[in-house]
Amino acid sequence: MNAIIASALLGVLMMFASWIFDNEKTHTRIALVGLLALIVANVLQLNGIYTIPVDYKGLLAFTQFGLYVNTILFILTFLYVWLNGDEIAKIGNHAADFYALFFFILCGASILTSFNNLLMLFIGVEILSIPLYILTGADKKNLNSNEAALKYFLMGAFSTGIFLLGITFIYGATGTFQLIAPTVNPANGMVREQLMQSAGLILIFVSFNFKVSAAPFHFWTPDVYDGAPTVFTSFMATIVKATAIIAFVVLFHSQYKALGYAWELLLTFVLISTLFVGNITAVFQRSVKRMLAYSSIAQVGFMLFALYGPTNFANEGILLYIMAYSVASIGLFGVLIKMKDYSFEAFNGLAKKEPLIAAMTTIFLLSLAGIPLTGGFFAKYYMLNAAVQSGIGLWLVALAILFAAVSIYYYFKLIQAMYFVEGAPAMHEVEQGYKYKLLVFAILILALGILPNVFLSYLYF
Amino acid sequence: MVLLSILSIPFIAAIILLFVKHNEKANYIAIASTGITLALALNIAFNGAANFDASWISSINARFVLTADGLAKILLLLTGISFPAIFIATSKNEIKNRAQFLSLMLFTQTGLLGVFLAGDALLFYFFWELALIPVYFLCSIWGGEKRIAVTFKFFIYTFLGSLFMLIGIILVYTHTADQSFAIQSFKEASLSGGQQLTAFALFFTAFAIKMPIFPLHTWQPDAYEQSPTAVTMVLSAVMVKMGLYGVMRWLMPLFPDAFAAHSNFVVILSVIGILYASFIAIRQDDMKRLIAYSSIAHIGLMSAALFANNEIGAQGVLIQLFSHGVNVLGLWIIADIIEQQTGTRSLKEMGGLAKQNPTLAILLVGFAFANIALPLTNAFIGEFLMFNSLFQFKPWIAAAAGVSVVLAAIYTLNMVQKCAYGELSEKMSKMQAPNMPAQFVLIVLLIVVIISGVYPAPLFDLTADTLQQLFIK
């Protein structure tokens, strides 16, 4: 509760900040302080010290898991703003407006981690999505950005429609919006209701696939990620995507049994096509930004393994995955922002010119590829273990592994460009301080890769 | 604690080297750290060491366990000897950014030591991959002309193999009684016949690519040829042993039934590989490629003897793990001296080494004899035991593999003849003063070859416990 209220208030506060303060650096500082306050408010509830008393009539359910996810998301946002503050200020007129949108997105996110009711889920998704449409179109004078925003908005609105239809079906079947474990009792002649409930869940499933950009509902992703200003792509591809995935997992861990066999079939189909589309298409990209867009689709393929069943591995794994993936991606986008040209060739010879940046980029890429010593390894490991434990065929795991090997190809293409090809990379000025900020991200990745325990043990307090 | 320190010394040295700019200094630091590692390895090998056990990822019950039994000890010794030998022997070579180069080499050493010491499946996998990453950079940055494509092939090949092993580890892990990665729990995992077979296949793929077993060997000659020589030495002296080590540490004890059921298949593949590599080696003109193929043939023999699944074969392999490493290291160092000083690897352009540098020629003859496994050299003992085991397994297989001894003599002696004797060639006459550090290393290695050939008892004592674990239930 703390996080939902605090983030909404902070959003409003930020809106007025641009009115009072002219300096954009000040906006960034206020936003950082606000994020710290948000983290504190959430940790207070996480540890059971203080919760703002609100009677929410059972519409929300604050679990240890959900609150811990909140903490992670807020910390990630904090790191993101801390790294990218100057870049955000370069876009549009008032950085504070964007920070206000970030806080609204976080408000939506904290609803999405704690919903206990389909309407709350819907509200959360919408609070999360609408600021995103604005962020995508933030670069007003850039046609690509405008196109991306319109595309995103139309597709998003469409998927929202599907979502609502799904909720209606479920309401029709069960007579409530509350999340309740589905009761399967064909003997009482409940077959029609059951069918309706299944249809509703499938519709919601489809719309969630759209939100997390899983194939075959991924078509908007590359264009939107490519068109949006790179700083905001970084935010959408990491923190927002992580939130959507978590909501997806929370919803279906309680509901998947209602779908019976169809569930495994559907999920497997989506999972394979996501891995296939993401990885294979990423191989052929010429622009690093587009490659990262497709690679984010491929990564979602791995995250979907968490949906197979509510095991410890799935829960811990998805947390580890969003941490490792987000930190590495924010770092990579942070490097990308500093490049004048987003093609692979532009990275040629980066290791000679900027050895530290190249080394950190390498760590981020190794993590995305899932190589030991980086967080990405344990993330993938937990996902695969969850899959094996839930009893699905080993062939699917083997297939995922093959695609992981494919991903090596496009991630290493960048490493090869940086280290083994001569060239003069065109970069914007990079301050020393920015490098140290990136270094923090790299260290976090290594810490996640060596002692993931430290980050997970909080779940069990 | 000794086990932890042997692992951390190269690691710390590698990190220090990242910040050293001066090449000479970097060299001293690297040699000193490998010297300490060697001393620790000797200490562990002959005095033993207590297990190191610490909590790592408690929620999935993965522990940071290091153990050193005979198998680990013999490979620790090999790793311990190889690295200082390589560093000293190549200390006069021109290497750009030597400090970084040495740093990556030491990271590799850390990974290798970790693989040999890990007593926990997840930790083993962790180090298994870790040993590969620095090698990828070493070969891609400092390698030959086609380095990027060749190294990438090598990397993808081995990475894919190890990913399959990862599935195997997950599969066994989910069937352990106490949900842990400890070797003991893995041994007691309740797998059905089919599951055991699957897990066997998954582990085997990783090890077969690493060794490599025919027909998965295609990455190797290219990688050996294109890598900088110092890295080739690591690859062929120590790194290929990871595959054999994996078989002895994990494959044999974990899946005894599947192992026995497939021994025929693997032995035959290995023997095909031995003959195939030997015939190709005869036709090679490039000295580096010749040694590479000869190495494939020798590793093939070791894998055949291992999969023959009898005690005498395993004993032979345990000895040969060490001997092959030392011998091939000697050959590489000689090839490197010649290439550095004459600029050629082609045997056609060589000749007259004996006149130009008699000491080096004698050393070459010495290591060549060891390569053919003549009596009095260390390889004789190992190969004798391995042929013995193949004969027990199936006489006709021993006969087929035995042809390789003749072939080895042909290509090795041919190389010696073309290189050391005959008219002094134009290129060879460019040889300058002998490379003293390298020759010193070679003499030390040759002494090791002869001592362990005449008096192998310490090696037998060292590995007795592993044999007992493998064969006496």
Side-chain angles (χ1 to χ4, degrees):
Chain A
M1 206 63 228
N2 289 1
I4 300 176
I5 293 174
S7 56
L9 286 179
L10 283 163
V12 177
L13 192 79
M14 270 330 284
M15 276 167 33
F16 289 105
S18 63
W19 194 40
I20 300 166
F21 301 103
D22 248 354
N23 187 351
E24 307 219 303
K25 278 222 154 63
T26 320
H27 298 171
T28 308
R29 278 188 208 115
I30 297 174
L32 285 174
V33 172
L35 281 165
L36 275 182
L38 195 54
I39 294 169
V40 170
N42 188 61
V43 169
L44 283 181
Q45 184 171 5
L46 181 61
N47 290 326
I49 299 170
Y50 178 74
T51 314
I52 299 170
V54 176
D55 180 12
Y56 42 81
K57 311 276 185 207
L59 293 177
L60 297 164
F62 295 101
T63 58
Q64 191 79 4
F65 180 77
L67 290 172
Y68 187 49
V69 172
N70 279 353
T71 319
I72 295 173
L73 293 174
F74 299 158
I75 291 176
L76 284 174
T77 313
F78 178 84
L79 289 171
Y80 164 82
V81 173
W82 178 59
L83 180 72
N84 290 315
D86 292 344
E87 291 295 324
I88 296 172
K90 282 183 196 159
I91 300 166
N93 297 329
H94 299 291
D97 299 350
F98 299 129
Y99 294 131
L101 292 174
F102 286 162
F103 280 112
F104 291 135
I105 290 175
L106 290 182
C107 179
S110 22
I111 295 175
L112 282 179
T113 53
S114 321
F115 64 93
N116 194 31
N117 182 294
L118 289 171
L119 283 182
M120 288 314 281
L121 175 65
F122 178 74
I123 290 172
V125 168
E126 287 308 297
I127 297 181
L128 182 84
S129 302
I130 291 171
L132 281 179
Y133 306 141
I134 307 173
L135 287 180
T136 312
D139 197 358
K140 273 187 283 187
K141 289 175 191 133
N142 184 342
L143 264 186
N144 285 339
S145 173
N146 282 319
E147 185 202 328
L150 185 64
K151 206 173 206 173
Y152 193 19
F153 174 67
L154 290 177
M155 301 285 265
F158 191 65
S159 94
T160 303
I162 296 177
F163 194 88
L164 274 178
L165 188 61
I167 292 181
T168 318
F169 272 30
I170 293 178
Y171 184 77
T174 61
T176 171
F177 287 121
Q178 287 299 103
L179 277 192
I180 44 170
T183 45
V184 184
N185 195 358
N188 295 351
M190 295 271 286
V191 178
R192 196 176 54 184
E193 278 77 3
Q194 251 178 314
L195 269 178
M196 263 168 79
Q197 192 181 8
S198 303
L201 277 172
I202 290 173
L203 287 171
I204 293 184
F205 179 71
V206 166
S207 121
F208 256 112
N209 279 326
F210 173 87
K211 294 286 180 212
V212 301
S213 65
F217 309 100
H218 66 281
F219 289 99
W220 60 275
T221 315
D223 292 345
V224 171
Y225 283 11
D226 201 19
T230 309
V231 252
F232 296 144
T233 310
S234 166
F235 188 73
M236 290 196 294
T238 55
I239 294 154
V240 174
K241 185 170 266 195
T243 315
I245 275 279
I246 293 286
F248 202 178
V249 170
V250 170
L251 175 67
F252 277 88
H253 273 185
S254 65
Q255 298 293 310
Y256 75 105
K257 283 199 181 106
L259 284 170
Y261 283 120
W263 166 242
E264 210 156 272
L265 201 67
L266 266 179
L267 182 57
T268 308
F269 169 73
V270 167
L271 198 147
I272 293 176
S273 42
T274 306
L275 283 172
F276 182 83
V277 168
N279 284 303
I280 301 296
T281 325
V283 168
F284 298 103
Q285 297 307 314
R286 291 226 170 121
S287 145
V288 175
K289 197 175 172 188
R290 262 188 112 76
M291 181 275 275
L292 285 175
Y294 280 104
S295 108
S296 86
I297 297 178
Q299 301 281 347
V300 164
F302 258 94
M303 295 187 217
L304 288 178
F305 273 118
L307 279 164
Y308 272 105
T311 56
N312 261 353
F313 264 106
N315 284 337
E316 291 179 15
I318 195 71
L319 284 184
L320 212 52
Y321 210 113
I322 62 169
M323 283 193 261
Y325 165 74
S326 301
V327 173
S329 298
I330 294 175
L332 261 183
F333 278 111
V335 175
L336 196 62
I337 290 168
K338 295 293 177 191
M339 305 299 292
K340 284 189 175 146
D341 173 7
Y342 290 164
S343 69
F344 277 90
E345 287 77 32
F347 282 81
N348 287 353
L350 190 71
K352 265 221 180 95
K353 195 174 168 213
E354 294 282 357
L356 188 62
I357 290 189
M360 289 179 306
T361 312
T362 308
I363 292 176
F364 300 142
L365 288 167
L366 291 179
S367 177
L368 288 180
I371 308 252
L373 210 67
T374 62
F377 166 68
F378 280 114
K380 284 212 166 71
Y381 175 79
Y382 271 70
M383 285 294 119
L384 294 178
N385 211 332
V388 172
Q389 233 175 16
S390 69
I392 53 163
L394 265 189
W395 63 271
L396 187 57
V397 179
L399 198 70
I401 291 254
L402 280 177
F403 281 121
V406 172
S407 78
I408 296 278
Y409 177 81
Y410 52 85
Y411 291 131
F412 273 57
K413 209 157 81 175
L414 201 55
I415 297 182
Q416 289 174 350
M418 290 189 302
Y419 279 91
F420 317 139
V421 188
E422 303 277 319
M427 285 187 92
H428 298 291
E429 186 86 26
V430 186
E431 300 156 35
Q432 205 63 23
Y434 192 79
K435 286 184 201 166
Y436 292 132
K437 286 178 182 173
L438 278 176
L439 193 62
V440 170
F441 281 75
I443 290 170
L444 258 179
I445 286 286
L446 293 178
L448 276 166
I450 297 168
L451 291 168
N453 218 16
V454 175
F455 298 84
L456 292 175
S457 55
Y458 218 85
L459 263 185
Y460 301 102
F461 276 124
Chain B
M1 282 318 277
V2 194
L3 294 180
L4 187 65
S5 45
I6 196 173
L7 202 57
S8 36
I9 282 170
F11 184 72
I12 294 168
I15 290 178
I16 292 174
L17 282 180
L18 285 177
F19 300 100
V20 174
K21 291 266 152 60
H22 196 259
N23 283 345
E24 280 292 295
K25 241 186 236 164
N27 231 357
Y28 288 128
I29 295 174
I31 292 172
S33 89
T34 49
I36 300 171
T37 313
L38 174 60
L40 284 176
L42 283 168
N43 182 23
I44 292 169
F46 295 108
N47 293 335
N51 288 359
F52 179 81
D53 190 345
S55 161
W56 184 30
I57 309 172
S58 51
S59 64
I60 58 173
N61 213 353
R63 299 187 69 76
F64 195 96
V65 183
L66 304 174
T67 59
D69 63 347
L71 175 58
K73 282 176 190 166
I74 203 134
L75 285 164
L76 281 192
L77 273 184
L78 178 63
T79 318
I81 291 177
S82 301
F83 275 82
I86 294 168
F87 286 166
I88 296 173
T90 57
S91 59
K92 284 195 171 173
N93 293 8
E94 264 192 40
I95 299 170
K96 266 193 290 176
N97 298 332
R98 182 183 280 271
Q100 280 176 30
F101 181 85
L102 293 173
S103 166
L104 285 170
M105 288 286 268
L106 287 173
F107 277 123
T108 315
Q109 193 187 20
T110 316
L112 287 166
L113 290 171
V115 167
F116 299 143
L117 288 174
D120 177 285
L122 195 63
L123 191 66
F124 170 72
Y125 181 81
F126 204 78
F127 281 119
W128 176 275
E129 289 281 2
L130 223 55
L132 186 62
I133 305 290
V135 170
Y136 171 75
F137 283 96
L138 282 169
C139 296
S140 295
I141 298 179
W142 285 276
E145 265 170 56
K146 288 181 289 178
R147 62 186 191 275
I148 296 178
V150 165
T151 313
F152 201 46
K153 180 178 167 191
F154 159 57
F155 185 79
I156 291 267
Y157 236 115
T158 40
F159 186 69
L160 194 62
S162 44
L163 282 175
F164 281 117
M165 178 167 74
L166 183 64
I167 307 181
I169 290 175
I170 294 174
L171 183 65
V172 181
Y173 169 74
T174 46
H175 288 92
T176 50
D178 54 346
Q179 297 287 301
S180 96
F181 291 95
I183 294 185
Q184 202 49 40
S185 315
F186 264 47
K187 277 183 198 163
E188 289 158 5
S190 54
L191 295 165
S192 71
Q195 283 164 340
Q196 198 181 97
L197 201 64
T198 318
F200 171 83
L202 290 167
F203 274 86
F204 176 71
T205 315
F207 300 146
I209 290 176
K210 204 78 176 188
M211 276 193 257
I213 289 181
F214 177 87
L216 299 173
H217 66 281
T218 53
W219 61 268
Q220 201 184 43
D222 289 339
Y224 281 10
E225 191 192 351
Q226 292 296 322
S227 305
T229 314
V231 179
T232 312
M233 293 174 196
V234 175
L235 283 176
S236 65
V238 191
M239 212 152 202
V240 288
K241 308 296 191 302
M242 280 164 69
L244 291 158
Y245 170 85
V247 172
M248 295 183 93
R249 172 70 81 230
W250 299 96
L251 211 56
M252 282 172 96
L254 259 52
F255 320 112
D257 300 337
F259 190 87
H262 289 80
S263 54
N264 251 334
F265 172 69
V266 182
V267 169
I268 289 174
L269 276 187
S270 305
V271 173
I272 293 175
I274 300 172
L275 296 176
Y276 172 86
S278 304
F279 278 115
I280 294 182
I282 292 179
R283 302 285 306 161
Q284 290 302 319
D285 179 53
D286 185 315
M287 199 165 173
K288 254 181 129 173
R289 280 189 94 85
L290 189 147
I291 302 175
Y293 278 106
S294 143
S295 182
I296 294 182
H298 283 97
I299 297 287
L301 181 60
M302 284 152 84
S303 101
L306 204 51
F307 278 85
N309 204 8
N310 49 34
E311 196 175 342
I312 195 164
Q315 176 69 74
V317 173
L318 280 168
I319 304 289
Q320 190 70 358
L321 279 175
F322 180 75
S323 307
H324 171 261
V326 174
N327 297 346
V328 85
L329 198 56
L331 285 176
W332 283 123
I333 293 177
I334 295 172
D336 184 49
I337 296 177
I338 295 175
E339 190 190 349
Q340 292 290 331
Q341 298 201 344
T342 67
T344 183
R345 294 204 301 254
S346 164
L347 288 173
K348 275 193 203 115
E349 296 177 351
M350 292 180 193
L353 177 66
K355 286 178 195 139
Q356 198 71 8
N357 186 344
T359 327
L360 195 60
I362 291 170
L363 288 165
L364 174 63
V365 173
F367 284 106
F369 283 166
N371 200 41
I372 334 175
L374 282 191
L376 286 189
T377 65
N378 54 1
F380 170 73
I381 299 151
E383 292 212 356
F384 176 76
L385 291 170
M386 291 193 289
F387 278 113
N388 208 330
S389 99
L390 284 182
F391 191 80
Q392 278 180 18
F393 183 68
K394 290 214 168 76
W396 66 269
I397 282 187
V403 176
S404 75
V405 179
V406 183
L407 297 175
I410 294 176
Y411 60 72
T412 311
L413 293 179
N414 192 22
M415 174 181 80
V416 173
Q417 190 191 3
K418 279 184 178 161
C419 178
Y421 303 108
E423 288 294 303
L424 186 61
S425 77
E426 188 193 335
K427 290 261 166 120
M428 205 51 108
S429 62
K430 281 194 224 153
M431 287 278 273
Q432 307 123 5
N435 180 341
M436 286 325 265
Q439 290 203 4
F440 165 73
V441 169
L442 284 171
I443 290 168
V444 173
L445 288 178
L446 196 62
I447 292 172
V448 174
V449 166
I450 292 169
I451 288 182
S452 53
V454 179
Y455 182 62
L459 291 180
F460 280 97
D461 294 343
L462 206 59
T463 53
D465 60 341
T466 302
L467 267 191
Q468 198 164 18
Q469 274 169 19
L470 284 177
F471 288 98
I472 300 161
K473 299 279 151 55

